[in-house]
Amino acid sequence: MNNSLLLSAKNKYFGWQLNLGQNYRESAVWASLEKQGNGMNSLLSKTDADRVGRNNFVKSALTFDIGKDRLLLNYDITHNNNDSYTLGNGPGFSTNDASMSSGLRQDAVVTYQKKFENTSKKLEFKFNYNNNTNDFELSPVGNSLVTLANSSHQNLYNAKVDFSQPIKFSDEGKVSLGALYEELLFDAASRGVTNLEYKRRTAASYVEVQTKFDKMNFIVGGRAEEYNITGKTDVAVLSAFKQFRFFPNASAQYNFSNSVNFNMNYNKKITLPSTSALNPNNTNYQNPNVDYSGNPNLQPTIFDNYEVKLSAFDYAFISYNISSAKNQVINRVTLDADLVVNTNENIPEVKIHNFSVGMPIPYMLFTKGLAETLKMNVNPDTMNFLYVYAGYQYHQIPNVDTNGFWMLNFMSQLVLPEKIKFVANYNYIIPKGNYFYFIAVEPIRNSLDLTFSKKFFKDQLTLSIYADDVLNTNRNAFNSFETPLLISSKQDTRKFGFSLNYKLPTKNKLAKENPNLLNKEKKEDDGILNQ
């Protein structure tokens, strides 16, 4: 159940926005870990978890017009309070555990935007402070003895400046440059004893030039970054990462027309391990045969990315890209006797190949033909169409025999009588492929979702009725590389519900024109295997 309210107002001096709400969800997860051998499966762990998630948030923004300039102040606060009750069993044990996790996240941003007579010329200063505190506790139901009591605390400081202005030696030319300074302080504790202190400092600057000559667009740039990463656990000092790096980027695009183009690009970049991956403490679940932990020794990942892409009419495309990574951070599941350990590690080298194609197929193509369809300027929101997407991904890991996998998505939109919009979305990932060190045994994300929506009262009210995973086929089953493990899980992904969205009418024209000033959520990518 999700509820939220967005309020905004503006006059000629200042404007404000306030978004507050709460999310509540009850869910279930069924998981099993089996050891395969001699044509038989032996159970190591089977769990049945009931989860309750609660999230309350307030997001606010206040903007002031200072002459032609603008000052924007943002403050967000989010509180999570989650419970999980897990029945576990395996050879020689049966458990009944309750876990509680809570988190408080605060984020403050100050942005100053300098305006110029030439609106293409921009100067922006931004400062961000983020504070994040998390606590986790696991204990047997009806027992005061605590099995796990772990916590973490993070402070992040970020300051940056960005400047851009047009340049005259080409059509639509522009030069952009900027600088950034960031410092992150993270510590983790188990039973009140600090077992990780981690500090990361980043200083960076960049410059980029965009030009256009006739039908050709070019982008050339580079980013210089200096890193100073240090830390220690309760038993050892972490390997320091103190390096200066330069990361170039370049892109060339040929425009066959206003709606058809061919693009080639290259960029080199770095990704730093998330603090959740570094945290050595278990903040998930544990029984005699299952353990979770992070890895404070993770190193940054360096990527070289190459892509070619042909696009048409903003919706149809065909592309191929390759990402060559050194020290890619991955999730790894290993087996030690009968203990299954879920952790993170660096792969020294991996190349990920991606081929993808997307194509909208208007249903009018079958009734009016291609020539008439191309002539029509139809709003996609009112068009009946089928969108087809297919992607192939192959993980190339030295000394590992891997297979690629296909990802398929079909999305159909029909505008029914009374302007009722019907959307059907189907996903399917073909099994037997490798996702790093995991091999899919069953189809992944195999799901059919349906939605009916209609607008009322001059589009002020939108009613949507949805059914997710109608066929109840969304489940995971993987083998783990170099182990006899079969990892299976199923969530209660089949659900039915409705949503109401109502825009309060206003006569304030400035409020209607006011764009979204709130901060966007930043989410970590934890892969496809997290349960």
Side-chain angles (χ1 to χ4, degrees):
M1 180 174 65
N2 303 321
N3 300 301
S4 66
L5 176 66
L6 174 63
L7 300 173
S8 64
K10 183 175 174 62
N11 57 37
K12 62 181 181 179
Y13 301 108
F14 69 93
W16 61 268
Q17 287 186 354
L18 180 66
N19 181 210
L20 60 150
Q22 63 89 26
N23 306 314
Y24 176 87
R25 184 170 185 237
E26 298 179 1
S27 61
V29 181
W30 303 272
S32 67
L33 298 167
E34 298 173 276
K35 183 192 292 186
Q36 297 177 313
N38 300 320
M40 298 179 61
N41 290 3
S42 57
L43 181 69
L44 296 177
S45 172
K46 184 177 182 180
T47 56
D48 180 348
D50 290 321
R51 297 177 176 179
V52 179
R54 309 173 190 86
N55 174 275
N56 298 283
F57 64 90
V58 177
K59 300 168 71 71
S60 61
L62 188 62
T63 179
F64 297 91
D65 294 325
I66 305 173
K68 294 181 179 181
D69 303 341
R70 185 171 81 152
L71 175 66
L72 175 62
L73 308 176
N74 292 95
Y75 176 73
D76 302 345
I77 182 169
T78 303
H79 180 254
N80 300 307
N81 182 19
N82 306 318
D83 299 323
S84 181
Y85 303 90
T86 306
L87 297 173
N89 65 81
F93 73 88
S94 178
T95 59
N96 184 6
D97 294 304
S99 67
M100 293 162 284
S101 62
S102 63
L104 180 65
R105 180 178 181 273
Q106 300 182 77
D107 194 84
V109 183
V110 179
T111 305
Y112 186 83
Q113 297 172 334
K114 176 69 178 176
K115 304 293 184 180
F116 299 92
E117 292 294 334
N118 185 343
T119 57
S120 299
K121 186 176 181 180
K122 298 178 181 178
L123 176 63
E124 180 177 279
F125 301 89
K126 180 177 288 188
F127 176 77
N128 176 217
Y129 170 70
N130 178 281
N131 177 276
N132 199 347
T133 301
N134 293 282
D135 295 285
F136 175 81
E137 186 175 292
L138 176 75
S139 60
V141 173
N143 192 327
S144 59
L145 180 65
V146 176
T147 307
L148 296 172
N150 298 320
S151 61
S152 64
H153 182 244
Q154 173 181 300
N155 281 308
L156 174 69
Y157 307 87
N158 178 295
K160 65 177 183 176
V161 56
D162 297 285
F163 174 75
S164 65
Q165 73 169 25
I167 51 180
K168 296 181 179 180
F169 75 88
S170 70
D171 299 331
E172 300 179 18
K174 183 175 72 170
V175 60
S176 303
L177 52 93
L180 172 145
Y181 179 85
E182 182 176 280
E183 189 165 308
L184 180 143
L185 304 172
F186 177 77
D187 60 77
S190 179
R191 297 182 182 274
V193 178
T194 299
N195 56 5
L196 175 63
E197 295 180 22
Y198 177 85
K199 182 177 180 180
R200 185 176 78 209
R201 189 186 70 214
T202 306
S205 60
Y206 76 91
V207 62
E208 183 176 87
V209 177
Q210 301 180 31
T211 63
K212 181 179 181 181
F213 298 97
D214 194 19
K215 293 186 177 182
M216 293 293 298
N217 295 71
F218 298 96
I219 299 175
V220 178
R223 185 179 181 92
E225 303 190 14
E226 182 180 20
Y227 294 92
N228 187 343
I229 302 175
T230 58
K232 64 179 182 178
T233 67
D234 53 339
V235 294
V237 175
L238 301 179
S239 298
F241 184 86
K242 298 181 179 180
Q243 294 188 15
F244 175 84
R245 294 265 187 164
F246 179 73
F247 301 98
N249 68 281
S251 175
Q253 178 174 300
Y254 182 79
N255 303 298
F256 296 96
S257 67
N258 290 334
S259 54
V260 181
N261 61 72
F262 178 73
N263 181 276
M264 297 185 298
N265 69 71
Y266 163 78
N267 66 78
K268 190 181 188 75
K269 69 176 186 177
I270 186 171
T271 299
L272 305 176
S274 67
T275 51
S276 60
L278 293 166
N279 190 343
N281 301 316
N282 186 343
T283 58
N284 194 311
Y285 172 71
Q286 172 182 295
N287 68 33
N289 280 353
V290 174
D291 187 37
Y292 289 81
S293 65
N295 182 356
N297 294 298
L298 292 174
Q299 292 295 301
T301 305
I302 306 295
F303 292 93
D304 285 284
N305 301 313
Y306 309 82
E307 182 182 43
V308 293
K309 184 175 183 180
L310 177 65
S311 304
F313 302 102
D314 295 328
Y315 303 105
F317 70 92
I318 181 170
S319 70
Y320 170 76
N321 67 70
I322 179 172
S323 180
S324 178
K326 296 185 183 299
N327 287 328
Q328 170 76 58
V329 177
I330 60 144
N331 178 234
R332 187 75 189 269
V333 176
T334 57
L335 185 64
D336 182 8
D338 284 346
L339 178 63
V340 180
V341 179
N342 191 319
T343 187
N344 302 286
E345 65 179 47
N346 291 110
I347 299 181
E349 184 179 346
V350 61
K351 291 181 179 178
I352 302 176
H353 303 258
N354 278 289
F355 170 78
S356 57
V357 57
M359 174 69 71
I361 304 175
Y363 290 128
M364 69 174 67
L365 185 66
F366 303 103
T367 58
K368 297 186 178 182
L370 179 60
E372 290 298 320
T373 301
L374 292 176
K375 291 179 183 178
M376 300 188 68
N377 184 16
V378 181
N379 183 349
D381 290 334
T382 60
M383 177 188 289
N384 297 326
F385 66 90
L386 171 68
Y387 192 88
V388 179
Y389 169 84
Y392 180 79
Q393 189 173 115
Y394 172 59
H395 293 210
Q396 184 181 353
I397 305 174
N399 303 317
V400 179
D401 185 16
T402 57
N403 296 311
F405 55 90
W406 281 96
M407 301 166 284
L408 304 174
N409 172 258
F410 302 92
M411 191 275 280
S412 177
Q413 175 179 285
L414 294 174
V415 180
L416 305 175
E418 303 300 326
K419 294 184 179 181
I420 297 174
K421 186 186 294 185
F422 169 63
V423 176
N425 196 44
Y426 179 69
N427 290 288
Y428 187 90
I429 299 180
I430 296 175
K432 307 304 180 184
N434 290 72
Y435 184 83
F436 296 112
Y437 285 146
F438 295 95
I439 304 97
V441 177
E442 295 184 5
I444 311 170
R445 295 178 180 167
N446 182 13
S447 175
L448 173 64
D449 304 330
L450 307 176
T451 303
F452 293 88
S453 61
K454 179 175 172 55
K455 294 184 177 182
F456 301 89
F457 307 127
K458 297 181 180 180
D459 295 345
Q460 294 293 129
L461 174 67
T462 301
L463 168 65
S464 298
I465 300 173
Y466 63 86
D468 291 343
D469 193 15
V470 176
L471 304 178
N472 201 28
T473 51
N474 193 349
R475 67 187 73 234
N476 292 323
F478 295 92
N479 290 129
S480 181
F481 177 68
E482 291 187 332
T483 76
L485 284 172
L486 173 63
I487 307 165
S488 304
S489 67
K490 176 75 178 81
Q491 298 188 26
D492 56 343
T493 49
R494 181 161 62 180
K495 56 186 178 181
F496 305 89
F498 70 93
S499 66
L500 289 171
N501 187 306
Y502 184 68
K503 298 179 182 179
L504 296 173
T506 179
K507 295 181 179 180
N508 186 341
K509 294 182 179 181
L510 292 175
K512 291 180 180 180
E513 297 170 358
N514 202 19
N516 188 1
L517 305 173
L518 302 174
N519 279 332
K520 295 181 179 179
E521 291 291 335
K522 300 176 182 178
K523 296 184 179 181
E524 295 179 354
D525 181 11
D526 294 322
I528 65 173
L529 299 173
N530 278 8
Q531 301 173 5

